């Protein structure tokens, strides 16, 4: 009987040989389609914008030319500054107040005396002009940027374009110490063989020498789009992006908007808004069984005591944010009129955001990390461009939406990401929390020292981390 069945079972198995794979292919295809549609990378819509004054012109293409730009000053500008510095009024600080009440006015008088009698703005303008500056018109406003290429590229080595974006109250000048390390690594004992950059540092619109938007609603997404257009105009199809503070949010938005253009994203501050049950459990258990919720010993050291480091310290450091996110123009009036007020407002951030313990020092520890020439040059960029109010408005534009409704909080980041976690940063984001948003973390480094203004304070450490990250991405 078995032998009689053989031809039939053979025939049946022949049919099976065709039908089963066909069915499997069909089901597999449906599954793949379902999985792909389920995991289709969500992106931020690029959209378009107009930030010039009045209505967008109907006819005529935007002038896409890239124009060389030079920072200039005049006797009149310097005389006006000196007159205002000489007429400043001060309120004596409380005894033993150090920097606990904000900028100590005894130390402020020393800073102003230096500014009036020793600081040489003409010389600093020359320093600022040592890199090539340009401007170009995008979406109705003039965008300022510096573009630095390596002077020598060894044979066969690819030059990586790197866009670096500053934050508030910084400027493109924050990158002046890191640029030579990235463009000429061999000359700065950073010759690790294979990574060299050309660096593009734009000024965020409304900051420094970039024109301020004339319309409401200019946020980090609009900035991200403008910077993509800038890189495109410079002829780059793919590039690396890097940022801290607002620069981190802008470059993250760039990665969410056009992941195909961003080869890699490197940040030294992580923005994460999700505060759900998962995070609460992580915080509660992290203090006792960190390994259970994916926290390392270093995370614990930087995150706890939680209330102190994440609530009280943050509240103390974020009063400015509430003002700027609600009514920036009111406080901005005084700052735009008084160079002394402007310096106090800006430099106070360079104290506590560099190191929280500087609160206890009469001089805010400012000169332990920076020179007065460096600090005042950054203040002068705000002063001579009259840009403090427009820079403060950026907070209102970005905080005017309910956080949960903000599109960039609902879109993951899938491009290769590098995170440099500096120990004195205002808040610490462990890798396990960052992973909820950044789905492709290639490097996560606990930096040995340094705070919020990483490129300005620890250029070599940051440069090494960027290079390490890019090297890894290039090997993928």
């Amino acid at each position: 009987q078995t032998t009689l069945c053989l031809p039939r079972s053979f025939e049946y198995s022949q049919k099976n040989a065709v039908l089963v794979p066909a069915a499997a292919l069909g089901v597999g295809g449906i599954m793949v389609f379902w999985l792909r549609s389920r995991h289709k990378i969500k992106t931020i819509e690029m959209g378009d914008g107009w930030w010039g004054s009045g209505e967008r012109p109907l006819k005529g293409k935007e002038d896409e030319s890239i124009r060389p730009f030079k920072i200039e000053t005049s006797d009149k500008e310097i005389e006006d500054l000196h007159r205002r510095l000489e007429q400043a009024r001060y309120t004596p600080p409380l005894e033993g107040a150090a920097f606990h009440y904000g900028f100590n006015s005894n130390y402020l008088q020393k800073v102003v005396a230096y500014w009036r009698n020793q600081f040489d703005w003409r010389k600093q303008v020359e320093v600022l002009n040592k890199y090539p500056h340009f401007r170009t018109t995008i979406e109705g406003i003039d965008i300022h940027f510096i573009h630095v290429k390596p002077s020598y590229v060894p044979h066969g080595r690819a030059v990586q374009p790197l866009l670096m974006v500053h934050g508030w109250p910084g400027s493109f000048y924050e990158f002046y110490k890191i640029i030579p390390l990235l463009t000429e690594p061999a000359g700065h004992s950073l010759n690790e063989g294979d990574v060299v950059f050309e660096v593009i540092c734009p000024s965020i619109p409304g900051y420094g020498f970039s024109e301020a938007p004339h319309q409401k609603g200019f946020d980090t997404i609009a900035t991200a789009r403008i910077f993509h257009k800038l890189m495109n105009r410079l002829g780059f199809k793919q590039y690396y992006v890097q940022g801290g503070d607002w620069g981190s949010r802008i470059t993250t938005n760039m990665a969410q908007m056009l992941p195909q253009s961003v080869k890699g994203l490197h940040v030294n501050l992580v923005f994460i808004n999700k505060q759900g049950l998962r995070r609460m459990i992580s915080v509660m258990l992290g203090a006792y069984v960190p390994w259970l919720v994916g926290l390392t010993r270093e995370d614990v050291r930087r995150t706890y005591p939680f209330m102190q480091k994440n609530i009280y310290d943050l509240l103390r450091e974020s009063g400015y944010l509430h003002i700027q996110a609600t009514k920036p123009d009111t406080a901005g009036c005084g700052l735009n009129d008084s160079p002394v007020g402007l310096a106090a407002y800006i430099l106070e951030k360079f104290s506590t955001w560099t190191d929280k313990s500087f609160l206890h020092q009469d001089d805010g520890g400012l000169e332990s990390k920076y020179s007065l020439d460096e600090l005042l040059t950054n203040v002068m960029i705000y002063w001579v461009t009259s840009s403090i109010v427009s820079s403060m408005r950026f907070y209102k534009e970005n905080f005017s939406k309910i956080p949960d409704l903000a599109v960039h909080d609902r879109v993951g980041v899938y491009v290769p990401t590098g995170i440099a976690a500096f120990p004195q940063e205002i808040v610490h984001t462990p890798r396990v929390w960052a992973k909820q948003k950044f789905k492709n973390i290639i490097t996560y480094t606990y930096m040995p020292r340094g705070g919020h203004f990483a490129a300005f304070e620890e250029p070599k450490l940051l440069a090494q981390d960027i290079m390490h990250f890019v090297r890894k991405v290039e090997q993928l």
Side-chain angles (χ1 to χ4, degrees):
Q1 200 177 356
T2 317
T3 48
L4 284 170
C5 285
L6 266 173
R8 282 183 67 189
S9 65
F10 179 70
E11 197 181 307
Y12 179 71
S13 65
Q14 284 279 75
K15 268 186 188 167
N16 258 9
V18 177
L19 287 172
V20 172
L25 265 173
V27 171
I30 291 163
M31 284 289 288
V32 166
F33 177 78
W34 178 74
L35 282 168
R36 281 191 66 174
S37 64
R38 205 166 144 259
H39 287 289
K40 189 166 186 276
I41 292 175
K42 263 197 193 153
T43 56
I44 293 175
E45 282 293 312
M46 184 136 179
D48 201 8
W50 168 258
W51 309 103
S53 53
E55 291 288 308
R56 187 177 204 151
L58 289 169
K59 277 200 199 81
K61 234 174 144 245
E62 193 158 67
D63 174 11
E64 293 193 357
S65 64
I66 289 163
R67 309 174 290 279
F69 174 76
K70 209 168 179 202
I71 298 169
E72 288 171 345
T73 186
S74 64
D75 291 344
K76 194 178 163 209
E77 185 174 76
I78 294 166
E79 283 160 17
D80 175 63
L81 171 73
H82 285 174
R83 182 180 56 77
R84 290 168 188 262
L85 293 177
E86 285 159 8
Q87 291 178 349
R89 300 191 307 173
Y90 302 90
T91 303
L94 295 169
E95 288 177 21
F99 260 58
H100 286 276
Y101 285 70
F103 207 105
N104 185 297
S105 55
N106 286 346
Y107 177 60
L108 183 59
Q109 289 183 65
K110 289 181 187 169
V111 172
V112 172
Y114 180 87
W115 197 358
R116 170 63 186 85
N117 303 313
Q118 286 164 273
F119 179 76
D120 186 343
W121 176 233
R122 288 188 186 283
K123 186 179 142 211
Q124 292 310 112
V125 165
E126 279 178 35
V127 170
L128 289 173
N129 282 326
K130 76 175 177 178
Y131 295 129
H133 293 248
F134 303 91
R135 282 172 100 179
T136 188
T137 310
I138 304 177
E139 298 189 4
I141 50 176
D142 283 344
I143 306 301
H144 159 260
F145 63 98
I146 54 174
H147 186 178
V148 190
K149 298 177 182 181
S151 56
Y152 165 73
V153 182
H155 179 68
R157 188 168 306 173
V159 178
Q160 302 295 345
L162 174 67
L163 177 87
M164 301 189 84
V165 186
H166 66 88
W168 187 91
S171 61
F172 66 92
Y173 176 60
E174 280 179 74
F175 300 115
Y176 269 49
K177 289 189 265 187
I178 199 172
I179 286 170
L181 309 183
L182 297 168
T183 56
E184 318 284 344
H188 298 86
S189 346
L190 283 168
N191 192 14
E192 293 170 49
D194 42 7
V195 182
V196 64
F197 297 93
E198 62 179 289
V199 180
I200 299 93
C201 298
S203 294
I204 298 169
Y207 288 69
F209 299 95
S210 276
E211 187 179 348
H214 298 267
Q215 311 292 334
K216 291 188 291 184
F218 187 85
D219 58 9
T220 56
I221 291 174
T223 316
R225 180 179 63 243
I226 281 178
F227 288 171
H228 271 309
K229 288 181 177 182
L230 171 65
M231 293 303 274
N232 208 261
R233 199 169 284 185
L234 290 171
F236 300 116
K237 295 282 171 277
Q238 284 193 308
Y239 32 89
Y240 286 92
V241 294
Q242 200 286 329
D245 195 85
W246 280 129
S248 164
R249 173 110 151 231
I250 292 162
T251 52
T252 299
N253 289 169
M254 289 178 78
Q256 293 167 310
M257 190 178 278
L258 291 179
Q260 66 276 24
S261 295
V262 177
K263 285 179 90 174
L265 163 71
H266 187 281
V267 294
N268 50 280
L269 174 65
V270 173
F271 283 95
I272 293 185
N273 272 350
K274 284 200 172 81
Q275 302 289 355
L277 184 65
R278 192 166 152 197
R279 173 72 62 85
M280 215 163 87
I281 292 166
S282 181
V283 167
M284 286 161 71
L285 293 177
Y288 306 102
V289 277
W291 46 270
L292 196 63
V293 288
L295 297 184
T296 66
R297 264 192 208 155
E298 188 58 24
D299 290 329
V300 171
R301 223 169 59 75
R302 295 185 184 194
T303 310
Y304 298 92
F306 189 81
M307 290 300 282
Q308 177 64 51
K309 291 188 174 176
N310 297 272
I311 308 294
Y312 302 136
D313 286 359
L314 209 57
L315 279 172
R316 186 191 66 217
E317 291 304 325
S318 58
Y320 80 96
L321 190 148
H322 199 126
I323 291 169
Q324 294 178 192
T326 51
K327 298 189 178 179
D329 288 33
T330 308
C333 290
L335 301 177
N336 196 42
D337 190 56
S338 162
V340 176
L342 182 70
Y345 196 71
I346 287 177
L347 296 185
E348 181 236 292
K349 304 302 175 213
F350 279 86
S351 167
T352 33
W353 293 3
T354 296
D355 191 320
K356 297 176 193 81
S357 71
F358 286 174
L359 268 180
H360 310 301
Q361 299 184 28
D362 290 343
D363 63 357
L366 278 165
E367 291 174 77
S368 60
K369 292 293 177 98
Y370 315 104
S371 72
L372 283 181
D373 279 347
E374 288 169 349
L375 292 167
L376 289 169
T377 298
N378 183 62
V379 172
M380 284 297 285
I381 290 168
Y382 282 85
W383 177 253
V384 300
T385 57
S386 208
S387 61
I388 188 64
V389 178
S390 48
S391 78
M392 290 161 74
R393 285 177 188 154
F394 203 50
Y395 284 78
K396 185 167 177 69
E397 306 297 14
N398 282 294
F399 286 102
S400 59
K401 300 167 192 79
I402 300 163
D404 290 343
L405 299 178
V407 61
H408 52 80
D409 288 327
R410 289 179 282 122
V411 174
V413 179
Y414 294 89
V415 307
T417 302
I419 297 170
F422 283 85
Q424 287 293 334
E425 186 52 271
I426 303 160
V427 284
H428 174 66
T429 305
R431 182 181 189 138
V432 69
W433 296 356
K435 266 162 58 179
Q436 292 168 28
K437 181 170 183 169
F438 299 89
K439 312 295 186 185
N440 189 7
I441 298 173
I442 304 293
T443 63
Y444 181 102
T445 316
Y446 296 102
M447 305 305 276
R449 62 185 179 275
H452 185 74
F453 302 98
F456 205 39
E457 184 197 346
E458 293 289 351
K460 195 159 189 176
L461 283 183
L462 185 63
Q464 284 169 329
D465 199 66
I466 293 167
M467 287 174 166
H468 172 59
F469 163 68
V470 170
R471 191 173 298 111
K472 282 200 144 182
V473 175
E474 290 297 314
Q475 286 164 1
L476 289 177

